[in-house]
């Protein structure tokens, strides 16, 4: 669950300010935990049947056709969005690693680092399947804990910067508002485990006496405590030390001790390599299914080779075109993550369980839905504006 989105949290705080920032962080934590609980409960609500995929649950709630059309595009956007953001993250961290380890070297453009990072995936994408996803996940979990800890530890070590400022950076009122919107999306991007939660629960054995939701819910609670331990210190300490001068990726703001920051960036690269593959797998699966079943291609090695390379090339190309970590986070966070994380589970819950009107459950769900929809509408605007502003003085393909 702890993605590379955590690195953008101090920057999101700088756009939200102290009061709203803390409220948004805590509120997101509570809402996403609640919707996660709903997903875990709904996994086995029909006796003798388990919903192993997000879209199967969607089809049960909204009907065969409609369920697919609501859920699948959302999931595709989430998965492709994460892959694009991770291309940029991987490239940026490689560049920072290179610049930190060898500060006297000739500097290499970010474009080339994104290409270097992508080259790994041109190879990895052709592995038939991850037999040991658990191994990859364990490595990724250790990595993300490590770099989160390094991020706030090194910030504490650096101390509060002289002439630190906590005001809003934007000069105009409109600018402040749009930055605020974008920051909501950046926070939403950080809470993004819902797309795979049913697939994970599907691997837990279940009997009528001992349903899978017991162990699964315990796992979720532990995960969320770890998430809180990762996210809150990074967001609060990072903002406290750097104020509004913090970079959109906290590791870019830190310089010393060099070996530690280099190590943290390497951790990010390793973590993002694993995560990219995990998010790309379902996309490969979908594309190949459509090609073979609908368009009657032969399921050959060649087909897989072409499809997967095209996908990696596509994400690389978009990443090179818009290498703006913060803007991309805000844009995809609002556009894709808000629905699947904040309000789709609530709508399904209302559609399936039909709780009493104006009861507690009814109110809770509707509040989540309203907040989620607002988030979905406003944060892509903020993120897109940020991308446009950064693109003005950025030379494309320089």
């Amino acid at each position: 669950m702890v993605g590379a989105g955590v690195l953008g949290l101090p920057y999101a705080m700088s756009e939200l300010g102290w009061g709203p920032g803390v409220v948004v962080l805590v509120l997101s934590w509570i809402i996403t935990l609640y919707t996660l609980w709903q997903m875990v409960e709904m996994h086995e609500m029909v006796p003798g049947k388990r919903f192993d995929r997000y879209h199967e649950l969607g089809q049960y709630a909204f009907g065969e056709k409609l369920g697919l059309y609501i859920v699948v595009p959302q999931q595709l956007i989430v998965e492709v969005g994460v892959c694009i953001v991770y291309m940029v993250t991987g490239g940026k961290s490689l560049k920072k690693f290179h610049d930190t380890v060898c500060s006297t070297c000739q500097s290499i453009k970010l474009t080339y680092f994104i290409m270097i990072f992508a080259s790994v995936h041109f190879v990895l994408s052709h592995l038939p399947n991850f037999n040991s996803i658990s191994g990859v996940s364990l490595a990724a979990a250790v990595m993300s804990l490590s770099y989160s800890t390094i991020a706030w530890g090194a910030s504490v070590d650096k101390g509060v910067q002289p002439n630190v400022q906590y005001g809003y950076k934007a000069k105009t009122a409109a600018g402040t508002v749009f930055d605020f919107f974008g920051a909501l999306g950046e926070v939403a991007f950080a809470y993004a485990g819902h797309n795979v939660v049913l697939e994970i629960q599907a691997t837990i054995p279940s009997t009528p006496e001992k349903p899978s939701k017991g162990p699964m819910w315990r796992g979720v609670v532990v995960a969320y405590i770890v998430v809180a331990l990762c996210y809150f210190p990074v967001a609060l300490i990072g903002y406290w030390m750097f104020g509004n001068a913090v970079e959109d990726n906290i590791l870019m703001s830190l310089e010393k001790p060099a070996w530690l920051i280099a190590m943290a960036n390497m951790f990010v690269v390793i973590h993002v390599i694993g995560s990219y593959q995990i998010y790309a797998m379902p996309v490969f699966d979908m594309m190949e299914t459509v090609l073979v079943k609908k368009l009657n291609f032969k399921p050959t090695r060649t087909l897989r080779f072409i499809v997967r390379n095209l996908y990696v090339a596509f994400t690389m190309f978009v990443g090179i075109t818009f290498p703006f970590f913060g803007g991309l986070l805000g844009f995809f966070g609002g556009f894709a993550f808000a629905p699947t994380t904040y309000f789709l589970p609530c709508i399904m819950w209302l559609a399936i369980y039909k709780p009493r009107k104006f009861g507690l459950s009814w109110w809770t769900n509707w509040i989540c839905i309203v907040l989620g929809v607002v988030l979905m509408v406003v944060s892509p605007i903020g993120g897109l504006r940020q991308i446009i502003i950064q693109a003005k003085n950025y030379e494309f393909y320089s």
Side-chain angles (χ1 to χ4, degrees):
M1 286 218 45
V2 182
V6 61
L7 300 170
L9 286 177
Y11 182 70
M13 285 289 297
S14 77
E15 292 176 321
L16 293 168
W18 275 121
V22 175
V23 170
V24 168
L25 270 179
V26 176
L27 206 61
S28 292
W29 192 81
I30 294 169
I31 290 178
T32 51
L33 183 57
Y34 172 63
T35 53
L36 208 51
W37 171 78
Q38 289 181 319
M39 304 271 291
V40 171
E41 285 289 317
M42 286 192 286
H43 176 72
E44 295 178 297
M45 64 198 165
V46 181
K49 190 168 180 215
R50 298 177 73 172
F51 299 110
D52 295 344
R53 298 263 181 285
Y54 206 142
H55 66 83
E56 290 176 17
L57 191 57
Q59 283 173 310
Y60 180 74
F62 306 124
E64 286 297 315
K65 267 281 177 8
L66 187 63
L68 274 183
Y69 288 132
I70 292 178
V71 176
V72 173
Q74 302 273 6
Q75 280 202 286
L76 266 177
I77 298 170
V78 167
E79 279 145 4
V80 177
V82 169
C83 289
I84 292 168
V85 171
Y86 280 2
M87 275 286 175
V88 178
T89 317
K92 276 198 167 176
S93 288
L94 276 176
K95 183 170 167 29
K96 179 76 173 181
F97 177 78
H98 172 263
D99 297 348
T100 312
V101 169
C102 168
S103 46
T104 50
C105 297
Q106 185 186 358
S107 83
I108 303 175
K109 298 250 163 61
L110 178 63
T111 303
Y112 296 120
F113 279 109
I114 295 180
M115 286 178 177
I116 294 167
F117 180 72
S119 63
V120 180
H121 293 295
F122 281 118
V123 179
L124 283 183
S125 300
H126 300 295
L127 295 178
N129 57 356
F130 279 120
N131 285 336
S132 57
I133 278 267
S134 56
V136 177
S137 300
L138 179 68
V142 173
M143 294 296 156
S144 45
L145 272 170
S146 313
Y147 67 68
S148 304
T149 312
I150 292 173
W152 66 260
S155 301
V156 170
D157 180 60
K158 193 165 183 177
V160 178
Q161 295 301 294
N163 64 27
V164 65
Q165 289 175 332
Y166 297 115
Y168 293 122
K169 276 197 297 281
K171 306 284 180 287
T172 59
T176 309
V177 172
F178 280 122
D179 279 354
F180 191 93
F181 289 166
L184 293 175
E186 284 156 41
V187 174
F189 195 99
Y191 292 102
H194 294 54
N195 287 296
V196 287
V197 82
L198 293 172
E199 275 94 336
I200 295 171
Q201 193 172 349
T203 61
I204 297 177
S206 173
T207 58
E209 297 79 51
K210 280 190 174 169
S212 64
K213 62 184 182 193
M216 184 67 189
W217 176 238
R218 284 200 295 278
V220 169
V221 171
V222 173
Y224 253 69
I225 292 169
V226 176
V227 163
L229 292 177
C230 274
Y231 284 12
F232 296 135
V234 173
L236 302 175
I237 294 173
Y239 181 43
W240 183 27
M241 298 305 166
F242 293 102
N244 61 14
V246 72
E247 297 268 343
D248 62 6
N249 178 338
I250 177 79
L251 290 178
M252 304 292 142
S253 293
L254 298 159
E255 301 293 333
K256 298 204 162 31
W259 61 273
L260 193 66
I261 303 308
M263 199 165 77
N265 277 293
M266 220 53 231
F267 284 165
V268 173
V269 172
I270 295 168
H271 174 207
V272 168
I273 287 175
S275 297
Y276 181 94
Q277 287 301 323
I278 287 174
Y279 277 98
M281 281 286 157
V283 184
F284 294 152
D285 193 43
M286 266 187 219
M287 289 196 298
E288 284 156 23
T289 310
V290 168
L291 285 174
V292 173
K293 288 204 173 144
K294 293 271 193 298
L295 305 172
N296 301 327
F297 279 81
K298 285 197 169 59
T300 54
R301 281 260 173 94
T302 333
L303 179 76
R304 258 181 50 178
F305 184 76
I306 296 169
V307 166
R308 293 181 180 208
N309 281 352
L310 276 175
Y311 178 73
V312 176
F314 167 73
T315 51
M316 176 183 83
F317 182 72
V318 179
I320 290 171
T321 313
F322 305 110
F324 314 121
F325 183 65
L328 285 173
L329 281 189
F331 181 71
F332 283 121
F335 194 57
F337 285 84
T340 50
T341 318
Y342 287 77
F343 66 85
L344 263 182
C346 295
I347 294 177
M348 290 181 187
W349 186 272
L350 289 173
I352 294 167
Y353 282 105
K354 302 190 175 51
R356 195 176 85 251
K357 267 194 183 159
F358 307 113
L360 180 65
S361 168
W362 189 87
W363 275 114
T364 319
N365 285 310
W366 273 109
I367 292 170
C368 289
I369 292 171
V370 171
L371 289 175
V373 172
V374 169
L375 187 71
M376 182 179 95
V377 175
V378 300
S379 49
I381 303 172
L384 198 59
R385 174 177 170 275
Q386 207 173 327
I387 293 176
I388 294 168
I389 288 176
Q390 284 174 317
K392 267 186 191 155
N393 32 22
Y394 171 78
E395 292 172 14
F396 287 102
Y397 311 116
S398 52

